[in-house]
Amino acid sequence: MKTHRHIGRLLAVCAAAWAGLARAEGPIEVPLKYQALSDRSHDFYPRGMMSPELVNAAPEGEWKLPEWKSPHPAFARIKLGDREHLLAFDVSASRGKMYDRIYFDANANRDLTDDPVISGDVDSSYGNRGVEFPPMDVTVETAGRSLPYRMTPSIYAYNRAGGETSKAFPKMMIRFMLQTLCYYGGELEAGGKRYTLYLTDANANGVFGEAAAPASGGNRIFMSGDAFFLSTNKPGYYDGMNCGTYWHLDGRLYAASLDPGLEKLTLAPVEEPLFPLALSTEPDRLMLFDAGRTQSVACIQPGRELRLPAGAYRFSDYRLLRRETNGALWQLVASATTGAPPAEVGADRKTELVLGEPFRPVVEIPEWSRAVKSGQQPVRMSFLIYGAGDEIVNDVSLLSGRSTVAMGKRGSRPREAAYTIATPDGELVQRGTFEYG
């Protein structure tokens, strides 16, 4: 009897120790390395972009500005990290076809004459003009740290009556863009798998790892903030997700945090009470946020159920992967609309988040097109695919293999949808196909 009691106590101690070990599983620490890229790189790399507004008026306050070749220079302000920088646009010759010279206050000392001038090459085509500039390297001051950063500027100018941006170039609509040429990379292990990670400054403001926050455009939901790309192979375009305050990886929920010097990403297991959320389908990637907009969850292969802190969750976007019987791999990418209700997660709740199948095709005619009188101009129609959660499909494409599905003009997408318009009596009015884009 004593032996049985002894064994029982030993088993109880072992069970408690095992449970303690499971709970005490440490965080995943990912060393990060800064990667600066060439502007001529043809390989995939994560990109961020911003398009600052050009203005004609010189900035107010005390600034040291260069002498201009153009009678109408243009200006733009950007914020990188904690500092604001001024850019001024000029021409290299008095009769230049477009702004091809940039003065950039890289050190943010309000003096545009002590930094190197950035000169670009102008290309003209069909009345439009483009200017490509070499990369700009700048030190970003953020959270008390000085960090390297690289970006490349470009200008696109369109011949557009009534859309004039600067008096220097009448009837030209000028768009200035800055695109990142840097990211942080690392590797991590989870669930016996080894992943490659790219971390990008998606909004090109000099700060990495900003958590996603929802924003709406029309009836669709979009996420702002930065992004990461994670894959067991070399990451590609479709491996990207918004940065979440939480990452759901290998069936576990982690709180994500970045070292101020961007030397390390830490994924710490969440130990607070978690509650189940069932999914009506199994996505490859899923982005969630709570209705209070205080937290977001980037889910990588979450299966059909995940465990989350209590809250009211909605999804912003997802990716599904499906294989044909012959092995051909397809993906479907969709983004949420504002019409879907949130899923309440908490104690004593059994909640399912509805998304994905079944999908339904919808043909919509915009209000402005409905007002067109017959015979004056064509009526515009849009072909959309909606999912079970009122989400809108953005892409259906073949990733690998040889499909048995009839393919469209672009090769990686299904054949374009066809339409037939007939009178109530069945008389044919028109027949045709929709176009992608």
Side-chain angles (χ1 to χ4, degrees):
M1 195 70 169
K2 289 182 179 178
T3 303
H4 289 168
R5 288 199 190 102
H6 178 72
I7 293 174
R9 289 195 194 100
L10 181 61
L11 290 173
V13 170
C14 290
W18 177 258
L21 285 172
R23 287 194 297 270
E25 184 178 332
I28 300 173
E29 295 186 343
V30 188
L32 298 175
K33 184 178 179 181
Y34 175 76
Q35 302 285 345
L37 298 155
S38 165
D39 60 333
R40 300 186 184 277
S41 175
H42 296 293
D43 293 335
F44 169 80
Y45 65 88
R47 303 167 188 257
M49 190 182 70
M50 72 160 81
S51 184
E53 181 185 6
L54 294 183
V55 298
N56 296 308
E60 297 180 355
E62 295 184 6
W63 293 85
K64 189 173 182 180
L65 302 175
E67 294 184 5
W68 312 113
K69 289 284 184 71
S70 171
H72 303 289
F75 303 88
R77 281 181 167 176
I78 61 172
K79 188 175 183 182
L80 297 176
D82 299 330
R83 301 191 300 182
E84 189 175 64
H85 301 260
L86 178 69
L87 300 99
F89 301 82
D90 195 12
V91 292
S92 56
S94 57
R95 293 189 179 183
K97 295 181 179 180
M98 182 46 58
Y99 294 124
D100 61 354
R101 179 172 285 186
I102 297 177
Y103 295 90
F104 175 48
D105 187 16
N107 52 18
N109 66 348
R110 303 176 74 87
D111 182 355
L112 271 68
T113 66
D114 64 350
D115 296 292
V117 178
I118 304 168
S119 298
D121 297 318
V122 181
D123 179 55
S124 298
S125 177
Y126 299 102
N128 302 321
R129 295 159 200 171
V131 189
E132 298 295 332
F133 296 89
M136 306 188 313
D137 289 293
V138 59
T139 298
V140 172
E141 302 290 339
T142 177
R145 303 294 183 99
S146 299
L147 301 174
Y149 197 74
R150 171 174 276 201
M151 58 201 322
T152 182
S154 57
I155 286 176
Y156 299 95
Y158 307 93
N159 196 342
R160 182 176 176 182
E164 182 175 288
T165 301
S166 169
K167 292 181 180 179
F169 304 100
K171 299 182 181 180
M172 297 294 291
M173 173 74 77
I174 303 172
R175 186 185 182 195
F176 172 59
M177 294 197 309
L178 284 167
Q179 183 172 278
T180 59
L181 274 177
C182 58
Y183 67 93
Y184 283 82
E187 293 187 343
L188 64 101
E189 287 189 5
K193 298 178 182 178
R194 190 165 187 84
Y195 294 89
T196 298
L197 170 70
Y198 295 164
L199 190 65
T200 182
D201 178 21
N203 51 17
N205 65 355
V207 180
F208 287 80
E210 291 178 302
S216 59
N219 69 330
R220 297 199 191 193
I221 295 175
F222 301 96
M223 301 297 281
S224 61
D226 288 327
F228 69 93
F229 294 74
L230 189 70
S231 176
T232 53
N233 300 307
K234 184 178 179 180
Y237 176 80
Y238 292 112
D239 296 314
M241 294 193 72
N242 293 102
C243 289
T245 50
Y246 297 112
W247 291 21
H248 192 279
L249 178 65
D250 187 42
R252 296 203 64 178
L253 187 69
Y254 298 90
S257 61
L258 270 174
D259 178 82
L262 299 182
E263 297 171 351
K264 180 177 64 176
L265 167 72
T266 301
L267 300 176
V270 176
E271 300 296 344
E272 65 182 277
L274 302 177
F275 306 95
L277 173 64
L279 305 176
S280 64
T281 192
E282 184 173 339
D284 177 67
R285 304 290 166 109
L286 173 67
M287 193 72 203
L288 299 174
F289 65 94
D290 77 337
R293 302 190 177 193
T294 58
Q295 59 194 26
S296 53
V297 189
C299 307
I300 298 97
Q301 297 177 345
R304 292 290 296 269
E305 182 179 284
L306 57 160
R307 301 182 69 83
L308 302 169
Y313 291 89
R314 304 179 70 174
F315 70 90
S316 63
D317 54 84
Y318 65 78
R319 177 170 82 151
L320 303 181
L321 296 179
R322 297 290 185 268
R323 286 192 183 274
E324 297 183 42
T325 55
N326 68 355
L329 180 64
W330 287 84
Q331 77 162 2
L332 181 146
V333 179
S335 58
T337 64
T338 54
E344 300 285 346
V345 174
D348 301 322
R349 290 181 180 273
K350 293 184 178 180
T351 307
E352 182 181 63
L353 184 66
V354 177
L355 69 157
E357 295 98 337
F359 294 99
R360 65 185 191 278
V362 175
V363 175
E364 295 182 351
I365 301 176
E367 288 289 343
W368 60 266
S369 190
R370 297 178 193 180
V372 173
K373 294 182 179 179
S374 178
Q376 290 187 345
Q377 65 184 63
V379 173
R380 300 292 181 181
M381 300 187 300
S382 298
F383 176 78
L384 302 172
I385 301 175
Y386 283 85
D390 280 335
E391 68 272 22
I392 297 176
V393 174
N394 301 320
D395 179 67
V396 179
S397 55
L398 180 66
L399 296 181
S400 64
R402 195 174 182 86
S403 178
T404 59
V405 175
M407 303 301 288
K409 299 174 184 177
R410 298 187 181 182
S412 63
R413 291 178 172 178
R415 179 179 293 172
E416 292 78 0
Y419 66 86
T420 299
I421 302 175
T423 66
D425 297 329
E427 181 183 351
L428 178 65
V429 176
Q430 192 167 351
R431 179 180 287 134
T433 58
F434 291 94
E435 294 183 3
Y436 284 108

